[in-house]
Short mmCIF file of all heavy atoms in Angstrom, two decimals:
data_model
loop_
_atom_site.label_atom_id
_atom_site.label_comp_id
_atom_site.label_asym_id
_atom_site.label_seq_id
_atom_site.Cartn_x
_atom_site.Cartn_y
_atom_site.Cartn_z
N MET Q 1 -24.72 28.35 45.26
CA MET Q 1 -24.15 27.14 45.82
C MET Q 1 -24.74 25.91 45.12
O MET Q 1 -24.02 24.95 44.87
CB MET Q 1 -24.42 27.12 47.32
CG MET Q 1 -23.83 25.95 48.02
SD MET Q 1 -22.04 26.10 48.01
CE MET Q 1 -21.61 24.94 49.22
N LYS Q 2 -26.02 25.94 44.84
CA LYS Q 2 -26.67 24.81 44.18
C LYS Q 2 -26.08 24.59 42.78
O LYS Q 2 -25.83 23.46 42.38
CB LYS Q 2 -28.17 25.06 44.10
CG LYS Q 2 -28.93 23.92 43.50
CD LYS Q 2 -30.42 24.23 43.46
CE LYS Q 2 -31.18 23.13 42.78
NZ LYS Q 2 -32.60 23.40 42.68
N GLN Q 3 -25.83 25.66 42.06
CA GLN Q 3 -25.26 25.55 40.72
C GLN Q 3 -23.83 25.02 40.78
O GLN Q 3 -23.42 24.24 39.94
CB GLN Q 3 -25.29 26.91 40.02
CG GLN Q 3 -24.80 26.88 38.59
CD GLN Q 3 -25.69 26.02 37.70
OE1 GLN Q 3 -26.89 25.93 37.91
NE2 GLN Q 3 -25.10 25.40 36.71
N PHE Q 4 -23.08 25.43 41.81
CA PHE Q 4 -21.72 24.95 41.98
C PHE Q 4 -21.70 23.44 42.19
O PHE Q 4 -20.91 22.72 41.56
CB PHE Q 4 -21.06 25.65 43.17
CG PHE Q 4 -19.70 25.12 43.52
CD1 PHE Q 4 -18.61 25.38 42.71
CD2 PHE Q 4 -19.52 24.36 44.66
CE1 PHE Q 4 -17.36 24.88 43.03
CE2 PHE Q 4 -18.28 23.86 44.98
CZ PHE Q 4 -17.19 24.13 44.17
N LEU Q 5 -22.57 22.94 43.07
CA LEU Q 5 -22.64 21.50 43.31
C LEU Q 5 -23.12 20.75 42.07
O LEU Q 5 -22.64 19.65 41.77
CB LEU Q 5 -23.56 21.20 44.49
CG LEU Q 5 -23.04 21.66 45.85
CD1 LEU Q 5 -24.09 21.43 46.92
CD2 LEU Q 5 -21.75 20.95 46.19
N LYS Q 6 -24.03 21.35 41.33
CA LYS Q 6 -24.51 20.72 40.10
C LYS Q 6 -23.39 20.63 39.07
O LYS Q 6 -23.25 19.62 38.39
CB LYS Q 6 -25.69 21.53 39.55
CG LYS Q 6 -26.35 20.91 38.35
CD LYS Q 6 -27.52 21.75 37.90
CE LYS Q 6 -28.13 21.19 36.64
NZ LYS Q 6 -29.20 22.03 36.12
N ASP Q 7 -22.58 21.67 38.96
CA ASP Q 7 -21.47 21.67 38.01
C ASP Q 7 -20.41 20.63 38.35
O ASP Q 7 -19.71 20.14 37.46
CB ASP Q 7 -20.82 23.06 37.95
CG ASP Q 7 -21.68 24.07 37.23
OD1 ASP Q 7 -22.59 23.66 36.50
OD2 ASP Q 7 -21.44 25.28 37.41
N ILE Q 8 -20.27 20.31 39.63
CA ILE Q 8 -19.28 19.30 40.02
C ILE Q 8 -19.65 17.94 39.45
O ILE Q 8 -18.80 17.20 38.97
CB ILE Q 8 -19.16 19.22 41.56
CG1 ILE Q 8 -18.48 20.49 42.08
CG2 ILE Q 8 -18.38 17.99 41.98
CD1 ILE Q 8 -18.44 20.56 43.59
N PHE Q 9 -20.94 17.61 39.46
CA PHE Q 9 -21.37 16.27 39.07
C PHE Q 9 -21.74 16.14 37.60
O PHE Q 9 -21.89 15.05 37.10
CB PHE Q 9 -22.56 15.82 39.92
CG PHE Q 9 -22.20 15.64 41.37
CD1 PHE Q 9 -22.72 16.45 42.34
CD2 PHE Q 9 -21.31 14.64 41.75
CE1 PHE Q 9 -22.39 16.28 43.67
CE2 PHE Q 9 -20.97 14.46 43.07
CZ PHE Q 9 -21.51 15.28 44.04
N ILE Q 10 -21.89 17.27 36.88
CA ILE Q 10 -22.27 17.21 35.47
C ILE Q 10 -21.07 16.81 34.62
O ILE Q 10 -19.98 17.36 34.76
CB ILE Q 10 -22.83 18.58 35.01
CG1 ILE Q 10 -24.11 18.92 35.76
CG2 ILE Q 10 -23.06 18.61 33.51
CD1 ILE Q 10 -25.25 17.99 35.48
N GLU Q 11 -21.26 15.84 33.75
CA GLU Q 11 -20.17 15.35 32.89
C GLU Q 11 -19.87 16.34 31.77
O GLU Q 11 -18.73 16.69 31.52
CB GLU Q 11 -20.54 14.00 32.29
CG GLU Q 11 -19.44 13.35 31.52
CD GLU Q 11 -19.75 11.91 31.17
OE1 GLU Q 11 -20.73 11.37 31.68
OE2 GLU Q 11 -19.01 11.35 30.39
N ASP Q 12 -20.90 16.79 31.07
CA ASP Q 12 -20.74 17.73 29.97
C ASP Q 12 -21.83 18.78 30.10
O ASP Q 12 -23.00 18.45 30.20
CB ASP Q 12 -20.84 17.00 28.63
CG ASP Q 12 -20.50 17.88 27.45
OD1 ASP Q 12 -19.99 18.99 27.68
OD2 ASP Q 12 -20.74 17.45 26.31
N SER Q 13 -21.45 20.04 30.09
CA SER Q 13 -22.44 21.09 30.30
C SER Q 13 -23.45 21.18 29.16
O SER Q 13 -24.57 21.65 29.36
CB SER Q 13 -21.74 22.44 30.47
OG SER Q 13 -21.00 22.76 29.32
N LYS Q 14 -23.09 20.69 27.98
CA LYS Q 14 -24.01 20.72 26.85
C LYS Q 14 -25.11 19.66 26.99
O LYS Q 14 -26.26 19.90 26.66
CB LYS Q 14 -23.26 20.50 25.54
CG LYS Q 14 -22.24 21.57 25.25
CD LYS Q 14 -21.39 21.19 24.07
CE LYS Q 14 -20.21 22.14 23.99
NZ LYS Q 14 -19.14 21.61 23.18
N ASP Q 15 -24.72 18.47 27.46
CA ASP Q 15 -25.66 17.37 27.59
C ASP Q 15 -26.47 17.43 28.87
O ASP Q 15 -27.62 17.02 28.90
CB ASP Q 15 -24.94 16.03 27.53
CG ASP Q 15 -24.29 15.78 26.19
OD1 ASP Q 15 -24.75 16.39 25.20
OD2 ASP Q 15 -23.33 14.99 26.13
N GLY Q 16 -25.85 17.89 29.95
CA GLY Q 16 -26.52 17.93 31.24
C GLY Q 16 -26.58 16.58 31.94
O GLY Q 16 -27.35 16.39 32.87
N LYS Q 17 -25.75 15.61 31.50
CA LYS Q 17 -25.74 14.28 32.11
C LYS Q 17 -24.89 14.29 33.37
O LYS Q 17 -23.87 14.96 33.44
CB LYS Q 17 -25.17 13.25 31.15
CG LYS Q 17 -25.99 13.03 29.91
CD LYS Q 17 -25.30 11.98 29.04
CE LYS Q 17 -25.99 11.83 27.72
NZ LYS Q 17 -25.26 10.87 26.85
N ILE Q 18 -25.30 13.50 34.34
CA ILE Q 18 -24.53 13.35 35.57
C ILE Q 18 -23.48 12.27 35.36
O ILE Q 18 -23.78 11.19 34.84
CB ILE Q 18 -25.45 12.99 36.74
CG1 ILE Q 18 -26.39 14.17 37.03
CG2 ILE Q 18 -24.65 12.65 37.98
CD1 ILE Q 18 -27.38 13.90 38.12
N SER Q 19 -22.25 12.55 35.75
CA SER Q 19 -21.14 11.62 35.57
C SER Q 19 -21.10 10.63 36.74
O SER Q 19 -20.95 11.03 37.90
CB SER Q 19 -19.83 12.38 35.51
OG SER Q 19 -18.74 11.49 35.50
N SER Q 20 -21.22 9.36 36.43
CA SER Q 20 -21.16 8.33 37.47
C SER Q 20 -19.76 8.24 38.07
O SER Q 20 -19.61 7.94 39.26
CB SER Q 20 -21.59 6.98 36.91
OG SER Q 20 -20.72 6.58 35.88
N LYS Q 21 -18.73 8.51 37.27
CA LYS Q 21 -17.36 8.46 37.78
C LYS Q 21 -17.14 9.56 38.82
O LYS Q 21 -16.52 9.32 39.85
CB LYS Q 21 -16.38 8.61 36.63
CG LYS Q 21 -16.32 7.40 35.71
CD LYS Q 21 -15.33 7.57 34.61
CE LYS Q 21 -15.77 8.43 33.49
NZ LYS Q 21 -16.94 8.08 32.75
N LYS Q 22 -17.65 10.75 38.56
CA LYS Q 22 -17.49 11.84 39.52
C LYS Q 22 -18.28 11.56 40.79
O LYS Q 22 -17.80 11.83 41.89
CB LYS Q 22 -17.94 13.16 38.90
CG LYS Q 22 -16.99 13.69 37.86
CD LYS Q 22 -17.46 15.02 37.34
CE LYS Q 22 -16.54 15.55 36.27
NZ LYS Q 22 -16.99 16.85 35.77
N VAL Q 23 -19.48 11.03 40.65
CA VAL Q 23 -20.29 10.71 41.83
C VAL Q 23 -19.60 9.66 42.68
O VAL Q 23 -19.50 9.79 43.90
CB VAL Q 23 -21.70 10.24 41.41
CG1 VAL Q 23 -22.48 9.71 42.59
CG2 VAL Q 23 -22.47 11.38 40.75
N MET Q 24 -19.09 8.60 42.05
CA MET Q 24 -18.39 7.55 42.79
C MET Q 24 -17.11 8.09 43.43
O MET Q 24 -16.77 7.71 44.55
CB MET Q 24 -18.06 6.38 41.88
CG MET Q 24 -19.25 5.53 41.51
SD MET Q 24 -20.08 4.80 42.94
CE MET Q 24 -18.80 3.75 43.56
N GLY Q 25 -16.39 8.97 42.74
CA GLY Q 25 -15.17 9.55 43.30
C GLY Q 25 -15.45 10.40 44.52
O GLY Q 25 -14.74 10.31 45.53
N VAL Q 26 -16.49 11.21 44.46
CA VAL Q 26 -16.83 12.06 45.60
C VAL Q 26 -17.34 11.21 46.76
O VAL Q 26 -16.97 11.45 47.92
CB VAL Q 26 -17.87 13.13 45.17
CG1 VAL Q 26 -18.43 13.84 46.37
CG2 VAL Q 26 -17.24 14.12 44.22
N LEU Q 27 -18.18 10.21 46.49
CA LEU Q 27 -18.66 9.34 47.55
C LEU Q 27 -17.53 8.57 48.22
O LEU Q 27 -17.49 8.44 49.45
CB LEU Q 27 -19.70 8.36 47.01
CG LEU Q 27 -21.07 8.95 46.68
CD1 LEU Q 27 -21.97 7.88 46.07
CD2 LEU Q 27 -21.71 9.55 47.91
N ALA Q 28 -16.58 8.08 47.43
CA ALA Q 28 -15.44 7.37 48.01
C ALA Q 28 -14.57 8.32 48.84
O ALA Q 28 -14.05 7.94 49.89
CB ALA Q 28 -14.60 6.73 46.91
N GLY Q 29 -14.44 9.56 48.40
CA GLY Q 29 -13.70 10.56 49.18
C GLY Q 29 -14.37 10.86 50.50
O GLY Q 29 -13.72 10.99 51.54
N ILE Q 30 -15.70 10.94 50.49
CA ILE Q 30 -16.45 11.18 51.73
C ILE Q 30 -16.31 9.99 52.67
O ILE Q 30 -16.13 10.17 53.88
CB ILE Q 30 -17.93 11.48 51.41
CG1 ILE Q 30 -18.04 12.85 50.73
CG2 ILE Q 30 -18.79 11.43 52.66
CD1 ILE Q 30 -19.41 13.14 50.16
N LEU Q 31 -16.38 8.77 52.13
CA LEU Q 31 -16.19 7.58 52.96
C LEU Q 31 -14.78 7.51 53.54
O LEU Q 31 -14.60 7.13 54.70
CB LEU Q 31 -16.48 6.32 52.16
CG LEU Q 31 -17.95 6.05 51.87
CD1 LEU Q 31 -18.09 4.85 50.94
CD2 LEU Q 31 -18.72 5.82 53.14
N ALA Q 32 -13.78 7.90 52.76
CA ALA Q 32 -12.40 7.91 53.27
C ALA Q 32 -12.26 8.94 54.39
O ALA Q 32 -11.62 8.69 55.41
CB ALA Q 32 -11.42 8.22 52.14
N PHE Q 33 -12.89 10.10 54.21
CA PHE Q 33 -12.84 11.14 55.26
C PHE Q 33 -13.52 10.63 56.53
O PHE Q 33 -13.00 10.83 57.64
CB PHE Q 33 -13.53 12.41 54.77
CG PHE Q 33 -13.66 13.46 55.83
CD1 PHE Q 33 -12.55 14.19 56.24
CD2 PHE Q 33 -14.88 13.74 56.41
CE1 PHE Q 33 -12.66 15.14 57.23
CE2 PHE Q 33 -15.00 14.70 57.39
CZ PHE Q 33 -13.89 15.41 57.80
N ALA Q 34 -14.67 9.96 56.38
CA ALA Q 34 -15.37 9.41 57.54
C ALA Q 34 -14.51 8.36 58.24
O ALA Q 34 -14.48 8.28 59.48
CB ALA Q 34 -16.71 8.82 57.12
N ALA Q 35 -13.78 7.56 57.45
CA ALA Q 35 -12.90 6.55 58.05
C ALA Q 35 -11.76 7.20 58.81
O ALA Q 35 -11.36 6.73 59.88
CB ALA Q 35 -12.36 5.62 56.96
N PHE Q 36 -11.21 8.30 58.29
CA PHE Q 36 -10.17 9.04 59.01
C PHE Q 36 -10.71 9.56 60.34
O PHE Q 36 -10.03 9.50 61.37
CB PHE Q 36 -9.67 10.22 58.19
CG PHE Q 36 -8.65 9.87 57.15
CD1 PHE Q 36 -8.90 10.12 55.82
CD2 PHE Q 36 -7.44 9.30 57.49
CE1 PHE Q 36 -7.97 9.80 54.84
CE2 PHE Q 36 -6.50 8.98 56.53
CZ PHE Q 36 -6.77 9.23 55.20
N VAL Q 37 -11.93 10.09 60.33
CA VAL Q 37 -12.53 10.63 61.56
C VAL Q 37 -12.75 9.51 62.58
O VAL Q 37 -12.43 9.66 63.76
CB VAL Q 37 -13.85 11.37 61.24
CG1 VAL Q 37 -14.60 11.72 62.50
CG2 VAL Q 37 -13.56 12.62 60.44
N VAL Q 38 -13.31 8.39 62.12
CA VAL Q 38 -13.55 7.25 63.03
C VAL Q 38 -12.24 6.75 63.62
O VAL Q 38 -12.15 6.45 64.82
CB VAL Q 38 -14.31 6.13 62.29
CG1 VAL Q 38 -14.31 4.84 63.08
CG2 VAL Q 38 -15.74 6.56 61.99
N ASP Q 39 -11.21 6.67 62.80
CA ASP Q 39 -9.91 6.22 63.29
C ASP Q 39 -9.29 7.26 64.22
O ASP Q 39 -8.65 6.90 65.20
CB ASP Q 39 -8.98 5.94 62.11
CG ASP Q 39 -7.69 5.29 62.55
OD1 ASP Q 39 -7.77 4.28 63.27
OD2 ASP Q 39 -6.61 5.79 62.17
N GLY Q 40 -9.50 8.53 63.92
CA GLY Q 40 -8.93 9.58 64.76
C GLY Q 40 -9.52 9.64 66.15
O GLY Q 40 -8.84 9.95 67.13
N PHE Q 41 -10.80 9.35 66.27
CA PHE Q 41 -11.45 9.33 67.58
C PHE Q 41 -11.30 7.98 68.29
O PHE Q 41 -11.83 7.79 69.37
CB PHE Q 41 -12.93 9.68 67.45
CG PHE Q 41 -13.19 11.13 67.20
CD1 PHE Q 41 -14.00 11.53 66.16
CD2 PHE Q 41 -12.64 12.12 68.00
CE1 PHE Q 41 -14.25 12.87 65.91
CE2 PHE Q 41 -12.88 13.45 67.79
CZ PHE Q 41 -13.68 13.82 66.73
N HIS Q 42 -10.60 7.06 67.65
CA HIS Q 42 -10.29 5.74 68.21
C HIS Q 42 -11.55 4.94 68.55
O HIS Q 42 -11.57 4.18 69.52
CB HIS Q 42 -9.39 5.86 69.44
CG HIS Q 42 -8.12 6.59 69.17
ND1 HIS Q 42 -7.13 6.06 68.38
CD2 HIS Q 42 -7.68 7.82 69.55
CE1 HIS Q 42 -6.13 6.92 68.30
NE2 HIS Q 42 -6.44 8.01 69.00
N PHE Q 43 -12.61 5.13 67.75
CA PHE Q 43 -13.79 4.28 67.90
C PHE Q 43 -13.45 2.86 67.43
O PHE Q 43 -13.85 1.89 68.05
CB PHE Q 43 -14.96 4.80 67.08
CG PHE Q 43 -15.53 6.10 67.58
CD1 PHE Q 43 -15.79 7.12 66.69
CD2 PHE Q 43 -15.79 6.31 68.92
CE1 PHE Q 43 -16.31 8.32 67.14
CE2 PHE Q 43 -16.31 7.50 69.37
CZ PHE Q 43 -16.58 8.51 68.48
N TYR Q 44 -12.73 2.78 66.31
CA TYR Q 44 -12.30 1.51 65.74
C TYR Q 44 -10.87 1.68 65.28
O TYR Q 44 -10.41 2.77 64.98
CB TYR Q 44 -13.15 1.11 64.52
CG TYR Q 44 -14.59 0.88 64.84
CD1 TYR Q 44 -15.55 1.84 64.56
CD2 TYR Q 44 -15.00 -0.31 65.42
CE1 TYR Q 44 -16.88 1.62 64.86
CE2 TYR Q 44 -16.33 -0.54 65.72
CZ TYR Q 44 -17.26 0.44 65.44
OH TYR Q 44 -18.57 0.22 65.74
N LYS Q 45 -10.16 0.58 65.20
CA LYS Q 45 -8.81 0.60 64.64
C LYS Q 45 -8.92 0.23 63.17
O LYS Q 45 -9.36 -0.86 62.82
CB LYS Q 45 -7.93 -0.42 65.38
CG LYS Q 45 -6.54 -0.51 64.84
CD LYS Q 45 -5.77 0.74 65.14
CE LYS Q 45 -4.35 0.58 64.63
NZ LYS Q 45 -3.78 1.80 64.19
N ILE Q 46 -8.55 1.15 62.30
CA ILE Q 46 -8.67 0.95 60.86
C ILE Q 46 -7.27 0.86 60.26
O ILE Q 46 -6.41 1.69 60.56
CB ILE Q 46 -9.48 2.10 60.22
CG1 ILE Q 46 -10.89 2.13 60.82
CG2 ILE Q 46 -9.55 1.92 58.72
CD1 ILE Q 46 -11.74 3.28 60.36
N ASP Q 47 -7.07 -0.13 59.44
CA ASP Q 47 -5.77 -0.37 58.81
C ASP Q 47 -5.47 0.72 57.79
O ASP Q 47 -6.35 1.18 57.07
CB ASP Q 47 -5.80 -1.75 58.14
CG ASP Q 47 -4.45 -2.13 57.58
OD1 ASP Q 47 -3.43 -1.71 58.15
OD2 ASP Q 47 -4.43 -2.86 56.58
N SER Q 48 -4.21 1.14 57.72
CA SER Q 48 -3.83 2.21 56.79
C SER Q 48 -3.94 1.75 55.34
O SER Q 48 -4.10 2.58 54.44
CB SER Q 48 -2.41 2.69 57.08
OG SER Q 48 -1.48 1.66 56.85
N GLY Q 49 -3.87 0.46 55.08
CA GLY Q 49 -4.03 -0.06 53.72
C GLY Q 49 -5.43 0.22 53.18
O GLY Q 49 -5.61 0.44 51.98
N MET Q 50 -6.42 0.23 54.06
CA MET Q 50 -7.77 0.54 53.64
C MET Q 50 -7.89 2.01 53.24
O MET Q 50 -8.54 2.34 52.26
CB MET Q 50 -8.78 0.23 54.74
CG MET Q 50 -10.22 0.38 54.29
SD MET Q 50 -11.39 -0.02 55.57
CE MET Q 50 -11.37 1.46 56.53
N PHE Q 51 -7.22 2.88 53.99
CA PHE Q 51 -7.22 4.30 53.62
C PHE Q 51 -6.62 4.49 52.23
O PHE Q 51 -7.15 5.23 51.41
CB PHE Q 51 -6.41 5.13 54.61
CG PHE Q 51 -7.04 5.28 55.96
CD1 PHE Q 51 -6.29 5.08 57.09
CD2 PHE Q 51 -8.37 5.62 56.11
CE1 PHE Q 51 -6.85 5.23 58.34
CE2 PHE Q 51 -8.94 5.76 57.34
CZ PHE Q 51 -8.17 5.57 58.47
N ASP Q 52 -5.49 3.83 52.02
CA ASP Q 52 -4.81 3.97 50.73
C ASP Q 52 -5.69 3.53 49.58
O ASP Q 52 -5.80 4.23 48.57
CB ASP Q 52 -3.51 3.16 50.73
CG ASP Q 52 -2.49 3.68 51.71
OD1 ASP Q 52 -2.61 4.85 52.12
OD2 ASP Q 52 -1.58 2.91 52.08
N SER Q 53 -6.33 2.38 49.73
CA SER Q 53 -7.15 1.88 48.63
C SER Q 53 -8.38 2.76 48.39
O SER Q 53 -8.79 2.97 47.25
CB SER Q 53 -7.58 0.43 48.88
OG SER Q 53 -8.33 0.33 50.07
N MET Q 54 -8.96 3.32 49.45
CA MET Q 54 -10.12 4.20 49.28
C MET Q 54 -9.72 5.50 48.57
O MET Q 54 -10.43 5.98 47.69
CB MET Q 54 -10.75 4.50 50.64
CG MET Q 54 -11.47 3.32 51.24
SD MET Q 54 -11.95 3.53 52.96
CE MET Q 54 -13.09 4.88 52.88
N LEU Q 55 -8.57 6.03 48.95
CA LEU Q 55 -8.12 7.28 48.32
C LEU Q 55 -7.68 7.05 46.88
O LEU Q 55 -7.90 7.90 46.02
CB LEU Q 55 -6.99 7.90 49.15
CG LEU Q 55 -7.41 8.44 50.50
CD1 LEU Q 55 -6.19 8.90 51.29
CD2 LEU Q 55 -8.41 9.57 50.36
N ILE Q 56 -7.06 5.91 46.61
CA ILE Q 56 -6.68 5.59 45.23
C ILE Q 56 -7.91 5.45 44.36
O ILE Q 56 -7.96 5.95 43.23
CB ILE Q 56 -5.80 4.32 45.19
CG1 ILE Q 56 -4.42 4.63 45.76
CG2 ILE Q 56 -5.68 3.78 43.78
CD1 ILE Q 56 -3.57 3.41 46.00
N PHE Q 57 -8.94 4.76 44.86
CA PHE Q 57 -10.17 4.60 44.10
C PHE Q 57 -10.82 5.95 43.84
O PHE Q 57 -11.24 6.25 42.72
CB PHE Q 57 -11.15 3.68 44.85
CG PHE Q 57 -12.47 3.54 44.18
CD1 PHE Q 57 -12.60 2.75 43.05
CD2 PHE Q 57 -13.60 4.21 44.65
CE1 PHE Q 57 -13.83 2.62 42.42
CE2 PHE Q 57 -14.81 4.09 44.02
CZ PHE Q 57 -14.93 3.29 42.90
N SER Q 58 -10.89 6.79 44.86
CA SER Q 58 -11.50 8.11 44.70
C SER Q 58 -10.74 8.95 43.67
O SER Q 58 -11.33 9.55 42.78
CB SER Q 58 -11.51 8.83 46.05
OG SER Q 58 -12.02 10.13 45.92
N GLY Q 59 -9.43 8.96 43.77
CA GLY Q 59 -8.62 9.72 42.82
C GLY Q 59 -8.71 9.18 41.41
O GLY Q 59 -8.73 9.94 40.44
N THR Q 60 -8.80 7.86 41.28
CA THR Q 60 -8.92 7.26 39.96
C THR Q 60 -10.24 7.62 39.29
O THR Q 60 -10.28 7.95 38.11
CB THR Q 60 -8.78 5.73 40.05
OG1 THR Q 60 -7.53 5.42 40.65
CG2 THR Q 60 -8.87 5.08 38.69
N MET Q 61 -11.31 7.57 40.04
CA MET Q 61 -12.63 7.91 39.48
C MET Q 61 -12.69 9.38 39.06
O MET Q 61 -13.18 9.72 37.99
CB MET Q 61 -13.74 7.61 40.48
CG MET Q 61 -14.01 6.15 40.71
SD MET Q 61 -14.66 5.33 39.26
CE MET Q 61 -13.25 4.41 38.70
N LEU Q 62 -12.16 10.25 39.91
CA LEU Q 62 -12.17 11.68 39.55
C LEU Q 62 -11.21 11.96 38.41
O LEU Q 62 -11.50 12.75 37.52
CB LEU Q 62 -11.83 12.52 40.78
CG LEU Q 62 -12.87 12.50 41.89
CD1 LEU Q 62 -12.34 13.22 43.12
CD2 LEU Q 62 -14.16 13.11 41.43
N GLY Q 63 -10.06 11.30 38.41
CA GLY Q 63 -9.09 11.49 37.34
C GLY Q 63 -9.56 10.96 36.01
O GLY Q 63 -9.31 11.55 34.96
N ALA Q 64 -10.27 9.84 36.03
CA ALA Q 64 -10.79 9.26 34.78
C ALA Q 64 -11.79 10.19 34.12
O ALA Q 64 -11.82 10.33 32.89
CB ALA Q 64 -11.43 7.91 35.05
N SER Q 65 -12.59 10.86 34.91
CA SER Q 65 -13.56 11.79 34.32
C SER Q 65 -12.88 13.04 33.78
O SER Q 65 -13.33 13.61 32.79
CB SER Q 65 -14.62 12.16 35.36
OG SER Q 65 -14.04 12.85 36.44
N ILE Q 66 -11.78 13.44 34.39
CA ILE Q 66 -11.06 14.62 33.92
C ILE Q 66 -10.31 14.30 32.63
O ILE Q 66 -10.33 15.07 31.66
CB ILE Q 66 -10.09 15.14 35.00
CG1 ILE Q 66 -10.90 15.71 36.16
CG2 ILE Q 66 -9.14 16.18 34.44
CD1 ILE Q 66 -10.07 16.05 37.37
N VAL Q 67 -9.63 13.14 32.58
CA VAL Q 67 -8.88 12.74 31.40
C VAL Q 67 -9.82 12.54 30.21
O VAL Q 67 -9.47 12.86 29.08
CB VAL Q 67 -8.05 11.47 31.69
CG1 VAL Q 67 -7.45 10.88 30.43
CG2 VAL Q 67 -6.97 11.78 32.69
N LYS Q 68 -11.00 12.04 30.47
CA LYS Q 68 -11.98 11.83 29.39
C LYS Q 68 -12.32 13.17 28.72
O LYS Q 68 -12.54 13.23 27.52
CB LYS Q 68 -13.25 11.19 29.95
CG LYS Q 68 -14.27 10.91 28.91
CD LYS Q 68 -15.53 10.34 29.51
CE LYS Q 68 -16.59 10.23 28.44
NZ LYS Q 68 -17.91 10.01 28.99
N GLY Q 69 -12.34 14.24 29.50
CA GLY Q 69 -12.66 15.55 28.95
C GLY Q 69 -11.61 16.08 28.00
O GLY Q 69 -11.91 16.88 27.11
N PHE Q 70 -10.36 15.65 28.14
CA PHE Q 70 -9.31 16.11 27.25
C PHE Q 70 -9.46 15.55 25.85
O PHE Q 70 -9.15 16.20 24.87
CB PHE Q 70 -7.92 15.74 27.78
CG PHE Q 70 -7.52 16.51 29.00
CD1 PHE Q 70 -7.02 15.86 30.10
CD2 PHE Q 70 -7.63 17.88 29.04
CE1 PHE Q 70 -6.64 16.56 31.23
CE2 PHE Q 70 -7.26 18.60 30.16
CZ PHE Q 70 -6.76 17.93 31.25
N GLY Q 71 -9.94 14.33 25.74
CA GLY Q 71 -10.02 13.67 24.45
C GLY Q 71 -11.33 13.85 23.72
O GLY Q 71 -11.49 13.38 22.61
N SER Q 72 -12.29 14.53 24.32
CA SER Q 72 -13.61 14.62 23.69
C SER Q 72 -13.81 15.92 22.92
O SER Q 72 -14.94 16.30 22.66
CB SER Q 72 -14.69 14.49 24.76
OG SER Q 72 -14.63 15.57 25.66
N GLY Q 73 -12.73 16.59 22.54
CA GLY Q 73 -12.87 17.81 21.76
C GLY Q 73 -13.31 17.55 20.34
O GLY Q 73 -13.10 16.47 19.78
N LYS Q 74 -13.94 18.53 19.73
CA LYS Q 74 -14.41 18.36 18.35
C LYS Q 74 -13.23 18.48 17.40
O LYS Q 74 -12.33 19.27 17.59
CB LYS Q 74 -15.44 19.41 18.01
CG LYS Q 74 -16.70 19.23 18.80
CD LYS Q 74 -17.83 19.93 18.14
CE LYS Q 74 -19.09 19.58 18.92
NZ LYS Q 74 -20.26 19.76 18.18
N LYS Q 75 -13.27 17.67 16.34
CA LYS Q 75 -12.17 17.67 15.36
C LYS Q 75 -12.57 18.40 14.12
O LYS Q 75 -13.66 18.48 13.71
CB LYS Q 75 -11.79 16.23 15.02
CG LYS Q 75 -11.23 15.52 16.21
CD LYS Q 75 -10.88 14.10 15.86
CE LYS Q 75 -10.32 13.40 17.09
NZ LYS Q 75 -10.00 12.03 16.84
#
């Protein structure tokens, strides 16, 4: 399980660097999930526009790290 979580955040397995885009994408996804839970239990009324922007940001950060991997092949 530890290796699985490590592989999620590693940008390149050769370098062993942690990807800031992946970390920000996962954190934004967790915050969006927490906002859904808070809104679902009616603790606070949260606007749906905020959900949309949080999910778009999360998807963009995760997508940017994936797209970067397509172009970094050796020539």
